[in-house]
Amino acid sequence: MKKFESLQALRGIAVLGVVAFHAMTIEQKYSGGDQLLPGLLQLGQSGVDLFFVISGFVMVTVTRGRFGGRGETGRFLWSRFSRIYPTYWFYYALTATVFLVRPGWVNAAQGHQVDLFASFLLLPGVHLPLVMVAWSLIHELWFYLAFAVLLQFRERLLPLMLLLWAAAVIAANTLLPPATPGPAYIIRHPFTLEFIAGAGAALLLYRQPPPSRDRRTVLLTALAVLPPALALVHHFNIVDTMGLLRAATLGTLYALLVYAAASLESSANRPLPAAVVGLGNMSYTLYLSHILVLSAVGRLWRGAAPAAGSLVDNAVVLPAMFVAVICCGWLAYRLVEQPALALSHRLRHRWFGRPVATGGDGAPHFENQQAS
């Protein structure tokens, strides 16, 4: 079934934001003190928040009409885990090889301390995973496991269960002392609210979609609200926190954006730019690979001994960083992620059969309205 191209485009934008944020760090580390990238790119790290919201939206979409169905929990978990692990393990192997050969090149921010076993399985622990950006995947996996439990109930109870879940997370963060790193830290983390916000956006869209004539207005409103709101987020350093304020602010903003984009796509037949959708398709590979690529370019940069006090080398190397990230990401997407996904789909059909299409990670299905 056709994917939501608008969500793929948003994934592409999100991953570019994350790449830009980490490119700032590489520039600070290797450019001899020169700084060309603006501080506003700190907002790029909120691309992770957008990923979480999109994930919640997709979870509701792919499970529509399948709550309580025989074998659906196994199908769901297989689809989600096989989406995460095979591609991740490829980058885990690359990073582990570097770590074993040159330990000083990996995880310098936490004293080069890693738990290889916990990193391999993406288990919550004291240290960040070996592939440091994979911390977000631990939150993803928790949401998948929790959502698999919700699949055991009647689908009409999903809104209530999501509200109770959100209330429990808010209460835990408001009334209880901070959790130490580990399973409780992930279970209680406010990032869960961003998944729930995305799921709520999907429920709202499917149960009460805006009239077709109003969907462009909804999107334009979201796009008008987003820049000044993100400017305030940057001004008050909200994106640098990991608490309720960040989750509530960015979860709400990005849920509105996702709702508006998906709503308009349901009635519009205009294709989005292929380049942006393509970035979204390979966003997972780009996300996992970009630190390795940026670090490699950074070390080459330092080895080239750039002239102190000059921004000329920055202007050359920074575009080269983005080109290298996208080219390496495209190659790995074609050679690693796509074959892994194809194998996953074949095994899913063999072991769980083919589900009845009642929605999907793709075209929206509204009541009394044929999917576009």
Side-chain angles (χ1 to χ4, degrees):
M1 188 172 290
K2 176 187 173 184
K3 291 182 178 180
F4 271 119
E5 286 194 348
S6 57
L7 298 192
Q8 294 303 97
L10 290 178
R11 281 190 175 112
I13 294 170
V15 78
L16 287 180
V18 175
V19 172
F21 168 68
H22 286 127
M24 291 180 60
T25 304
I26 298 297
E27 184 184 28
Q28 292 168 351
K29 185 176 181 179
Y30 294 112
S31 69
D34 302 327
Q35 191 71 22
L36 187 62
L37 294 176
L40 187 64
L41 291 182
Q42 289 282 345
L43 281 171
Q45 62 187 298
S46 74
V48 175
D49 303 81
L50 180 52
F51 280 134
F52 288 160
V53 171
I54 293 173
S55 182
F57 187 100
V58 170
M59 291 310 97
V60 170
T61 302
V62 300
T63 56
R64 292 183 66 223
R66 300 177 188 171
F67 281 67
R70 177 179 296 181
E72 288 302 330
T73 301
R75 176 194 303 280
F76 172 80
L77 290 176
W78 170 262
S79 297
R80 295 301 102 197
F81 289 173
S82 63
R83 182 71 182 91
I84 292 288
Y85 278 113
T87 303
Y88 164 73
W89 281 332
F90 174 78
Y91 291 103
Y92 173 89
L94 286 180
T95 309
T97 300
V98 175
F99 178 71
L100 294 174
V101 175
R102 292 292 185 94
W105 287 9
V106 177
N107 281 358
Q110 54 181 358
H112 313 290
Q113 300 182 47
V114 296
D115 184 330
L116 293 177
F117 178 76
S119 294
F120 181 75
L121 293 178
L122 290 172
L123 301 176
V126 176
H127 304 297
L128 288 173
L130 184 66
V131 182
M132 293 185 70
V133 294
W135 65 265
S136 64
L137 302 184
I138 299 174
H139 290 275
E140 289 270 358
L141 291 171
W142 157 241
F143 184 73
Y144 297 160
L145 288 171
F147 202 87
V149 174
L150 300 185
L151 284 174
Q152 311 309 310
F153 298 89
R154 294 183 182 275
E155 189 167 356
R156 61 182 176 83
L157 296 177
L158 182 59
L160 175 60
M161 290 188 291
L162 290 174
L163 285 174
L164 292 175
W165 189 7
V169 172
I170 294 171
N173 283 272
T174 304
L175 303 176
L176 300 179
T180 57
Y185 177 81
I186 299 298
I187 292 171
R188 290 172 44 183
H189 202 285
F191 279 143
T192 297
L193 298 177
E194 297 181 341
F195 289 106
I196 295 173
L203 288 173
L204 180 61
L205 181 61
Y206 290 124
R207 297 192 176 203
Q208 193 173 0
S212 297
R213 66 179 182 277
D214 295 335
R215 290 175 188 172
R216 186 180 300 274
T217 302
V218 172
L219 180 60
L220 292 175
T221 301
L223 294 176
V225 168
L226 202 60
L230 289 178
L232 290 174
V233 167
H234 176 66
H235 177 75
F236 291 106
N237 297 319
I238 294 174
V239 76
D240 292 329
T241 69
M242 299 287 277
L244 284 173
L245 182 59
R246 172 175 174 170
T249 304
L250 293 176
T252 301
L253 288 174
Y254 288 146
L256 173 62
L257 178 62
V258 167
Y259 171 84
S263 173
L264 180 60
E265 183 177 352
S266 68
S267 60
N269 295 318
R270 297 177 183 176
L272 294 172
V276 180
V277 177
L279 280 175
N281 290 339
M282 61 183 186
S283 59
Y284 183 48
T285 287
L286 288 173
Y287 180 73
L288 289 175
S289 65
H290 75 276
I291 292 291
L292 288 172
V293 178
L294 289 176
S295 297
V297 174
R299 290 184 178 278
L300 291 173
W301 190 357
R302 183 169 62 184
S310 170
L311 292 176
V312 174
D313 56 317
N314 298 56
V316 173
V317 175
L318 290 174
M321 282 185 174
F322 283 88
V323 171
V325 165
I326 292 173
C327 289
C328 292
W330 177 83
L331 187 63
Y333 172 68
R334 295 296 300 271
L335 298 180
V336 178
E337 184 178 352
Q338 278 192 321
L341 286 176
L343 177 60
S344 165
H345 292 161
R346 288 197 297 271
L347 292 176
R348 183 181 65 193
H349 294 328
R350 179 183 302 173
W351 292 342
F352 301 101
R354 294 181 180 271
V356 177
T358 58
D361 187 4
H365 285 229
F366 298 123
E367 293 296 328
N368 302 319
Q369 178 179 333
Q370 189 173 0
S372 60

